[in-house]
Amino acid sequence: MSPEFIAGIVVFVLAGFVGLEVISKVPPTLHTPLMSGANAISGITIVGAVIAAGLAEGRFATALAFFAVVAATINVVGGFLVTDRMLEMFRKRPSRPR
Amino acid sequence: MSPEFIAGIVVFVLAGFVGLEVISKVPPTLHTPLMSGANAISGITIVGAVIAAGLAEGRFATALAFFAVVAATINVVGGFLVTDRMLEMFRKRPSRPR
Amino acid sequence: MQVGVPHQHTDTERRTPVVPDTVATMTEWGWNVVVSPGIGEPSGIPDQHFRDAGATVGEEAWRADLVLVVRPPSPHQLSELAPGTIVAGFLDPFVDVDTIGGLCVARLTGVALEAIPRTTLAQAMDALSSQANIAGYAAVILGSMESPRLFPMMVTAAGTIPPARVLVLGVGVAGLQAIATAKRLGASVYAYDVRPETKEQVESLGARFVDAVTVAADAGGYAVEVDESAQAAQHAALTEHVAAADLIVTTAQIPGRPAPLLVTAEMVSTMRPGSVIIDLAAATGGNVAGSRPDETVAVGGVRLLGPTNLASQYARDASRMLARNMIAMLERGRTDDHFVIDPEDEILGEATVVLDGEVLHPRSRELLEANRTANSEAAS
Amino acid sequence: MQVGVPHQHTDTERRTPVVPDTVATMTEWGWNVVVSPGIGEPSGIPDQHFRDAGATVGEEAWRADLVLVVRPPSPHQLSELAPGTIVAGFLDPFVDVDTIGGLCVARLTGVALEAIPRTTLAQAMDALSSQANIAGYAAVILGSMESPRLFPMMVTAAGTIPPARVLVLGVGVAGLQAIATAKRLGASVYAYDVRPETKEQVESLGARFVDAVTVAADAGGYAVEVDESAQAAQHAALTEHVAAADLIVTTAQIPGRPAPLLVTAEMVSTMRPGSVIIDLAAATGGNVAGSRPDETVAVGGVRLLGPTNLASQYARDASRMLARNMIAMLERGRTDDHFVIDPEDEILGEATVVLDGEVLHPRSRELLEANRTANSEAAS
Amino acid sequence: MTELLYLVAAVAFIVGLKQLSGPRTARKGNAVAAAGMFLATVVTLVELEVVSWRVIAAGIAVGAAIGAALALRVQMTAMPQLVAAFNGFGGAASALVAVYELDRTGGGFATETAVTVVLSLVIGVVTFTGSFVAFGKLQGIIAGRPMRLPGGQALNVALAATTAILGAWAAVSGEALPFWLALGVASIIGFTGVLPIGGADMPVVISLLNSLSGIAASMAGFVIGNQALIIGGALVGAAGLILTMQMGEAMNRSLGNVLFSGFGGGAVAVETAGKPVNRATPDDVAIALAYASNVLFVPGYGLAVAQAQHAVRDLAAALEKRDIAVGYAIHPVAGRMPGHMNVLLAEADVPYEQLFDLEQSNPKFTQTDVVLVIGANDVVNPSARDDATSPIYGMPILEVDKARTVVVVKRSLSPGFAGIDNPLFYEPDTMMLFADGKEAIESVLAAIDDV
Amino acid sequence: MTELLYLVAAVAFIVGLKQLSGPRTARKGNAVAAAGMFLATVVTLVELEVVSWRVIAAGIAVGAAIGAALALRVQMTAMPQLVAAFNGFGGAASALVAVYELDRTGGGFATETAVTVVLSLVIGVVTFTGSFVAFGKLQGIIAGRPMRLPGGQALNVALAATTAILGAWAAVSGEALPFWLALGVASIIGFTGVLPIGGADMPVVISLLNSLSGIAASMAGFVIGNQALIIGGALVGAAGLILTMQMGEAMNRSLGNVLFSGFGGGAVAVETAGKPVNRATPDDVAIALAYASNVLFVPGYGLAVAQAQHAVRDLAAALEKRDIAVGYAIHPVAGRMPGHMNVLLAEADVPYEQLFDLEQSNPKFTQTDVVLVIGANDVVNPSARDDATSPIYGMPILEVDKARTVVVVKRSLSPGFAGIDNPLFYEPDTMMLFADGKEAIESVLAAIDDV
Ligand SMILES: NC(=O)c1ccc[n+]([C@@H]2O[C@H](COP(=O)([O-])OP(=O)(O)OC[C@H]3O[C@@H](n4cnc5c(N)ncnc54)[C@H](OP(=O)(O)O)[C@@H]3O)[C@@H](O)[C@H]2O)c1
Ligand SMILES: NC(=O)c1ccc[n+]([C@@H]2O[C@H](COP(=O)([O-])OP(=O)(O)OC[C@H]3O[C@@H](n4cnc5c(N)ncnc54)[C@H](OP(=O)(O)O)[C@@H]3O)[C@@H](O)[C@H]2O)c1
Ligand SMILES: NC(=O)c1ccc[n+]([C@@H]2O[C@H](COP(=O)([O-])OP(=O)(O)OC[C@H]3O[C@@H](n4cnc5c(N)ncnc54)[C@H](O)[C@@H]3O)[C@@H](O)[C@H]2O)c1
Ligand SMILES: NC(=O)c1ccc[n+]([C@@H]2O[C@H](COP(=O)([O-])OP(=O)(O)OC[C@H]3O[C@@H](n4cnc5c(N)ncnc54)[C@H](O)[C@@H]3O)[C@@H](O)[C@H]2O)c1
C-alpha cells in the first residue's frame, strides 16, 4: 500500500471517530434537520466531481463529469438551503397576540 | 512543507478533535483518575525514546536516549498502575454489616 | 315575576337558596326578589347586601310566583300558597310523602333539586353533589374535633404520635371529599366502596383502598344493593379495618333503598374507646348499627354521630354553592322575564316532580301510591 | 415510693399526667402508683390498662409521697397532704398565688412543669411546648368548625370557592402548629410575630409573614414587651390583614406580663360577619379586645373565643405527651427507688418552685410578695 | 497549502455538525458547514489545472438552480422525501466520480485502489437507487406499505453476495468488466433493499442511506486521492450512523428490525381509529415548551391517577426559571370530585395565584403558546361546544384548541368518564404524548435540561 | 503495516479515554489504553533497526521498576502529587527526544521541523520543571501557599517572550545555540509559572501540565516523523484541556483565574475555622449515593427553610428505582416546632413507613452506607454525646457519624439554633455540600442520572 493510501486510512479512521463523538444525544425534533445538514456535507464529493470535470477529455468522460457536478451541486446547494428552511422554527417566539 | 509534515498536521488536528469530543461531562470523583490515565497515554513518547535509543551512537546520545526511555517508562508503567489503583473504589458494594 | 325566599332556618338548617350575587342576576332578568329578613345571618350576609343586589327584604316571601326553599315547606305552608305557584329547592320528593301530597293538594308545581339527573351536562345544577361535597369535608372536621387523637403524625421531644387512622366507607362525592380532607390533615386513610371504579379514585387521592366485595354500578353510576352473602363478606373484610380506626366516616347510599349496613354492632364493640363514627347515611337508616339521625350515641367508649345536614354548618359556602346550582337551574327555564317548565326537557322535566298538582316523576308517584296502599291497609 | 394520680377532671380538663406506658416504667423503678378510677376515660384509657401496667386503681391517690397533677390542686386539697409530699405537674407558679401559698403553708414541695427551662437539653420535659403544640392544632380545627367558610380552595361546578384566609398572631410553638394545620387544610395563611427570627420559620411552613415591627427576643428566646408607639405601628400594619381574615388565631404571650393587645375593638369591627377569632392568650388578658377566657363573645357578626385549655380536647395524645414529659422529668430526679431533688440541678432545681415549704423560684417569690403588699395595703 | 485549506473546511464540517445537533446553535451550524463547503469548492477550482471550465460552470449552474428551486419551493410536509432525493444525487455523484476514473483508467488499478473504486461505485449506486425508492414511497409514487419480494431477504443476500464476488474479481483482475457488473447488480439492491420496508420507517432508512452516501464520498476520496473527500465523507458516515441509531431508538425500533422486519407499514402501537395523530416524544414536548413564552397546564383525572402533581409542579418551576409564564387552568368538574385538582395542586404547593378557573382561563388560550393537558379528556372536548349531537353538548369546556400548540399527555386514545371520543386529539396542532402522566412529565422535565 | 498497527493503538487510546470518563467503565478503559500502549511499544521494537538493544532494555527495566514501585507503594492521599511526578517524567522524555535529535543533527532542520523541535523542547521542559514544583508543593517540600515572585506576572511574560524570540531564531538560523538557550529559559518558566499558584489549585495545574505533556509528545512525533506520537499526544493534549476546564469549573474558578490570580492558597469561600473539611460537589454526592445499597435522609430546619421536601422525595424515588433502600431519620426536635419535619414530609407524600424516630434510627446508622443530612445541625452534633462541656451535652442525637459516609447539605459552616460548632463537619468520612438545600438536592438528582 502506498504511504498516501495508509495516510488516507489513518485520516479516515480519525475522522470517523470525530463523527461518532461529535453527535451526542439529539432531540427528535432535530433528527430531520441534522440528517439533512449531514447529507449536504456528504456533497463534498462535489470536489471530486469538479476535479473530474476539469480534467475530462472525450465525450463520455465529459458527460460523466458533467452529471457528477450537477448531482453533487444539487446535493450541496439544495441540502444546505432546505436545512436552513427547516431550522427557521428555532427562533424564540416573542410574546404576541395571535 | 513536506507532504508527510502536512499529513502530520491533518492527523494532529483530527486527533485533537477526537480528544475534545471524547471527554464529555466527567463527574468530579473521576477527575483525578482520568487525568492520571490521560497522563499515562501521553507516555506514548516512549515510542520516540525507544527509537532514539535503538539508533543512538556516542556517549552523550546514548545517555540522552537512556534517560528518555527511563523517564517515558516511568510515566507509562507508573501511570497505568496508579490509575488502576485509584479506580478500585468503583466496584458496587454489596449490602453488608460493618 | 315575583320570587320569594322565605326564612326556613332551624337548629340544623342555616343555608339560603340565594346569595346577593344570584339575586343580582335575577334582578337583571327583571325578576322581583323578596327575601325574609335575617335569612343570610348564619352565612354572614346582612340583609343590606340583599337590598344592594336589588331584593326587597320583607315578610311576604311566601306570596310569590316562584318560592325558593332549602328544605320542604310544611304541608300547612304549602296549603297557603296560590295554586300554580312554583316551589323550587330541596323537596325530598322520593321520601317525604307529605310534601308531594301537599303540592298536589294545593295544585302547585314542585321542582326538586334532588331529581336533577346526575349527568355531566347537569353538573352545574347538581346540588346533591355540591352539598355532599361540603358534608364530606365537614364530617372529617367534626370527627377530628370529637376524637381525642391528633390526626397528623408528629415526631416530637414528648414522643412520637402516630397518625390517626381514618376509614371512609362509601366513596361517592362526600366520601371522596372526606378522604381528601383527612389526608390533608395527615391521617392515614383507608376507604372502601362497592363500586369497583372507586379503587382508582381512592388511590388518586393518595389513600388506600380496602379490597372487599365490589359490584359494578347501575347505568346511572349508582351502586346497587348487594345480597346477603356479599354483605357478610363485606363485614368480614372490613372488621380489622374498623377495629383499627380512630375515625370512621360512612356515606354509603343506594338511591330509593335504605342505606346498606356496613358496620355491625359487633364490629363497633371491637373499636378502641374514644373512637368516633360519623354516619352520614343516618337519615336513610344508617350504615352503622345503632346510629340515630342528628343524635350522638355512645356505645362503650365509642361515639356514633348521625348528622343529617352537615353542609349547613358551613353556611356561607354551602349557600353560595347552592345558590349557584339554583340559578343554573332557573336559567334553564327562563324565557324573557318568566320561568317556564318544559316537561320534555331532559333536565328540568326530570326535576319537576309535580306540575300544577300532577305528579310527574315515577318515583314520587310510586311513593304516593305505596303510601295510599299503606294508609288504606291501615284503615281497613 | 408511693405515687398518686388524683382525679382532677373538669369541663375543660380531660388529661392525665400518666399513661399506662409511663406507669409501667415507674413500676419497673419500684414505685407504687395509685390512680383514681376513671382518670383515663376521656383519653379512651380504661382503668384496666392502668392495672395491667402495674398501678392500683383506688381513691387514695392524694395520700402519696409524690402526687402528679394536671392542674393546681385547690388550697384545701393541698392542706390535707402530709408535709414533705412532692406535688409535680402544672402548678401555675407565676400566676396562681393560692397554690404557691398553699404549698408553703402545708410545707410541701412543688415541682412545676411551667418552670422547666426552655433549653435544648430540657426539651423532653417541656410540657408547655408539648401542650402548646396541641393547642395550636386544636385552635385551627375549632376555628374551622366555627367558621361558615370552607378552608381549601375548590373549583367546582357550583362555582369557585376561594381559600379561607387565616391570620396567626404570635408565632411560638402554638402559632407554628396553627400555621401548619391551617396550611394543611388548604387555607391561605398569614402570620406575624414580634421576634424577627420567626419570619424564616413562618416561611419554612409555606405561609406568608406580615412585615410589621419586630424586636429581638430576650436571652431566653422570649419576646419582650414593645412600647406604645411600636404597638400603634403593629396595629396599623395588621389592620388590613385582620379585616381580610376569615379566622384569626392569636397566641402572643410575654412571660410574666399580661398578653399584648394585638387586635383592637376597632379592628374587630372591620371584619366580615361570620369571621372567627380564637384567642389562646385569653387567660393572661387576651390579644384581642373583648375576648374572655373560656367564653364565646359575639361582636357584630364576629365571634371571639377564648379557650384556655384547648390541648385537653385531644385528651389521648395530650396525656400521652404530658406523661412523657413527666416521666422524663421524674427520671432526672430518680435515685434507686426514690425521687430526690437537687436544688442545684439546672433543670429540676429551676422547676422546684417550692421546696419543703420554702419558695425557691424568684418569680414565685415576687408573686407572693406582691400579693402580701397588696393584701396589707387593702387591709390598712 | 490546498491540503491545509481542505483541513480548514473539514474543521468547519466538524463544528457545523456539532452545532447542528443542538436546537440553539443548529442554524449557525448549518451556515458554518456551508461555508466549509464553499471553501473546499473554491480551493479546488483555484488549484485545478483545468481543461474545460465550461463543463464545470454549466454543471454547477444547472445543479445549483435545480437544488435551490427544489429546496425553496417544496412544502414543509414534503421535507423528508426531498432530503431523500438530495441524498440520492449525492450517492450518484460519488458513483459517477468512480465511473469516471474507471473509464479513464480502464480498470487497471492497484488492488487497494480497486477496492475503493468498487466500494464507491457500489455504495454510491445503492444510495442513489435506494434514496429514490424512499422518495417514491414518501411522495406516494410507490405504495407506502411494505412490498413483499419473491424470495424475501434471501434475494437481497444473494445480490449482496454477487456484488461482493464481482468486487473481489474486479480488485484482482485489472479488467473493467467486473466493475460494471458490480455496478449493475448493486443498483438493484437499492430497490430490493428498500421496497420491503414500510413508509413509517422511511426516515430511518433515509438516515442510513445518508450515512452510506458519506462512505461513498469517502471512498471516492481514496479513488482520486483527495483528503477533503475522505474526511468529509467519513465524518458524515459516522455521524449519520449515530443519528440513524438514535432515530430508531426514538421509534423504539432497532436498526436491524427496521431493515429486515418489513413490518413498519405505519404499525403504530396505538389504535388511532383510522385517524392520524401526531405522536410526540418527551423531547419534542420539551422543545415546544422551551421555545414558548407562556404555558398553561390543564390537569384532569389522569393527573390524579398518575399522582403527577409533584412532577408537574417541578416542570412548572423549571419553565419559570427560563422566564416562561406558567398557569393552571382548572375545569369545574375535572377529576372525580369537586375540588379534586385543588387538593392535588395544594399538596404540591402550587401557589393559588397561578390557578385559573373556567371563566378566567378561556380568554387566555388564544394567547397561549403551549397548553399541556395532563390526563384531562372530557373537560377539553371541543365537541361539547361544536357538535350538537354529542351527549355532552352544551357543557362548558376549557377551549384549549384555541392555543397555538396543544400537548395531551395520556396513556392511550381511550375516552374519559363520559365515554366519548375527543376530536382534539386529531387536530394538526395537537401533539399526543402517550405515557403515564407522572412518567411523561418526568421525562419531559429531564429532556428540557438538554434543550 | 507499522502505521496501521499504530492506528490500532491510537484507537485503543480513544476508546480508553472515553471509557475512563464514566464511573462504570473507567477501569476497563484504563486497561484498554494500557493495551494500546503495549502494542505501540512492541510494534516499535519489532520494526526497529536496532544498534543497541542494551540501552533500550536497561531503560525500560529501570523505568518500569521505578514506576511500578511508586505506583504500588504510595498512599491514596498522595495520589495527586504522584501523578504530577509521572507527568514530569513524560515531559522530560519528550524534551530528551528532541534534545537527542538536536544533538544528532546539530540544529540543521527545515524551518517547520525546527519549530516542532523548539516546541517539544520548550513544552517538554516546562512540563518537567512545572510538574516537579507542583509535586513539591503537594508533598510539602515547597510551601503550599502562593509565592510572590519579584516582578510578578511581568517576569513570566518576559521569560515567555524571550523563549519565543529564541525559538524564532532557532527556526531560521540552523544553529544549535538558540535551541539550547530556549531550553534553558523555558526550564525557568516551569518554576516561575507554578510557584505563585496556591496548593489548593494544584490539581488544576497538574491537569494543565498533563495536557501540555501531550502536546510535547505530539511535537516530538513531528520531530521524529512518527504518527503514533502525533496522534496519542494530540489526543491527550485536547482531552487534558477539556478536563482542566471541567476541574476549574468544579472549583468555580476559570483557568485564567487559577493561573494568574495567585490567590488559590486554599482560599476556600467558606471559613473553616482553620480545620479542613471535605467539600463535595453534587456529582461526588451522586456517585456516593449511586454506589450505596442503603441511604438514610436526616432532615432538619434547613430543609424547611429551603422548602426542599419535594426535591428530597424525588431524590429518594430516584434511588429506589436503583434498588437502593431509603428511609428518613427524624429527630424529635428537628426544625422549630414539634412535628415540623412531619408536616413537610407529609406534604411531599413520603410514606409513613419510611419515617423512623430517634429510637428506631440510631441502631440503623452503623449499617448505613450513606446518610444525607439536609439542613440539620444540632440534632446530629456528636458533642452532645462526647463532650461533657458542651451546652447540649446529654441531649439525645441521631448518631449519623456511625454511618460509613455522611453527606451534610447546608449553606455554610455556621451553627444551628443552639449556636455551637459541630465536629461532625470535620470528620474524614463527612462530605460537605455547601448550597441551599433545595438547589443542592436538585443538582444531586440531576447528577445521579449520569452515573
Ligand atoms: N369533578 C367532579 O365532581 C366529577 C364527579 C364525577 C364525574 N365527573 C366527570 O369526570 C370527568 C372529568 O374530566 P377529566 O377531563 O378530568 O377526566 P376524564 O375525562 O375522565 O379523562 C381522564 C383521562 O385521564 C387519562 N388517564 C387516566 N390515568 C392516567 C395516567 N395514569 N396517566 C395519564 N393519563 C391517565 C385517561 O386516558 P388514558 O386511559 O388514555 O390514559 C382519561 O382519558 C367529566 O366527565 C366529569 O363530568 C366529575
Ligand atoms: N422542634 C422544636 O420543637 C424546636 C423548637 C425550638 C427550637 N428547637 C431547636 O432547633 C434545633 C433543631 O435542630 P436542626 O438540626 O433541625 O436545625 P439547626 O440545628 O437549627 O440547624 C439548621 C441548619 O440548617 C441550615 N440551613 C438553613 N437554611 C438552609 C437552607 N436554605 N439550605 C440548606 N441549609 C440551611 C443552617 O446552616 P447554614 O446556615 O449553614 O445553611 C443550620 O445550621 C435544635 O437545637 C432544637 O433544640 C426545636
Ligand atoms: N356525571 C357527573 O358529573 C356526576 C356528578 C356527581 C356524581 N356523579 C356520580 O354519581 C354517583 C353517585 O354519587 P353520590 O355521591 O351521590 O352517591 P350516593 O350518595 O348515592 O352513594 C354514596 C356511595 O355509597 C356507595 N355504596 C352504596 N352501597 C354500598 C355498599 N353496600 N358498600 C359500600 N359502598 C356502597 C356508592 O357506591 C356511592 O359511591 C357516583 O358515581 C358519582 O361519580 C356523577
Ligand atoms: N430550646 C428549645 O428547644 C425550645 C423549645 C420550645 C420553645 N422554645 C422557644 O421558646 C420561645 C417561646 O415559645 P412559646 O411558644 O412558649 O412562646 P410564648 O407562648 O411565650 O409566646 C408566643 C409568641 O408570642 C410572641 N409575641 C409576644 N409578644 C408579641 C407581640 N407584641 N406581637 C406579636 N407576637 C408577640 C412571642 O414572640 C412568641 O413567639 C420561642 O423562641 C421558642 O422557639 C425553645
Side-chain angles (χ1 to χ4, degrees), chain F residues 52-109:
Chain F
S52 139
W53 280 108
R54 241 185 4 168
V55 181
I56 297 178
I60 290 186
V62 172
I66 298 177
L70 287 174
L72 299 179
R73 289 268 178 76
V74 165
Q75 287 187 341
M76 277 311 241
T77 47
M79 289 291 163
Q81 48 265 53
L82 190 61
V83 175
F86 287 157
N87 192 47
F89 285 116
S94 298
L96 285 172
V97 170
V99 171
Y100 169 90
E101 278 295 300
L102 179 59
D103 175 55
R104 195 172 62 82
T105 60
F109 303 105

Side-chain angles (χ1 to χ4, degrees), chain F residues 82 158 168 194 246 255 292 358 366 415 441:
Chain F
L82 190 61
V194 178
Q246 287 193 17
L255 200 50
L358 189 84
T366 54
I441 301 298

Side-chain angles (χ1 to χ4, degrees), chain A residues 39-54 65-78 80, chain E residues 6 13 34 36-45 48 56 59-61 63-64 89-95 97 213 216-218 220-221 224 226 228-229 233:
Chain A
N39 172 41
I41 294 176
S42 77
I44 184 69
T45 200
I46 191 175
V47 166
V50 165
I51 292 175
F66 174 73
F67 284 116
V69 173
V70 171
T73 311
I74 292 178
N75 188 2
V76 169
V77 173
F80 283 119
Chain E
Y6 280 156
F13 296 158
M37 188 62 75
F38 184 73
L39 174 67
T41 315
V42 169
V43 167
T44 312
L45 290 174
L48 203 60
I56 297 177
I60 289 185
F89 285 118
S94 297
V97 169
S213 79
S218 198
I224 62 167
N226 184 299
L229 267 69

Side-chain angles (χ1 to χ4, degrees), chain C residues 123, chain E residues 301 333 335-336 375 377-378 410-412 414 417 436-437:
Chain C
Q123 277 179 114
Chain E
Y301 179 56
V333 302
R336 289 289 181 276
N377 191 341
D378 298 343
K410 61 201 295 285
R411 297 164 306 182
S412 65
S414 57
F417 184 85
D436 171 73

Side-chain angles (χ1 to χ4, degrees), chain E residues 123-167:
Chain E
I123 300 178
V125 80
V126 167
T127 307
F128 175 64
T129 52
S131 292
F132 279 96
V133 172
F135 170 81
K137 286 214 169 205
L138 287 175
Q139 191 67 16
I141 302 172
I142 308 177
R145 74 193 143 63
M147 208 171 281
R148 267 198 73 76
L149 296 177
Q153 290 303 336
L155 175 64
N156 281 325
V157 171
L159 287 171
T162 313
T163 312
I165 292 165
L166 290 169

Side-chain angles (χ1 to χ4, degrees), chain C residues 153-157 160 163 183 186-188 208, chain F residues 330-333 338-339 342 349 352-353 355 357:
Chain C
M153 179 179 190
M154 290 188 191
V155 177
T156 79
T160 299
K183 272 294 288 180
S188 176
R208 265 172 269 216
Chain F
I330 316 285
H331 191 279
V333 303
N342 293 112
D349 248 352
Y352 284 137
E353 297 77 46
L355 306 189
D357 64 17

Side-chain angles (χ1 to χ4, degrees), chain C residues 262-305:
Chain C
L262 294 176
V263 182
T264 61
E266 197 189 338
M267 286 155 85
V268 172
S269 71
T270 64
M271 294 178 77
R272 272 190 303 272
S275 303
V276 176
I277 302 181
I278 313 265
D279 186 351
L280 291 186
T284 53
N287 297 138
V288 184
S291 76
R292 281 203 294 274
D294 287 323
E295 280 183 38
T296 301
V297 181
V299 180
V302 179
R303 258 156 330 131
L304 265 70
L305 282 71

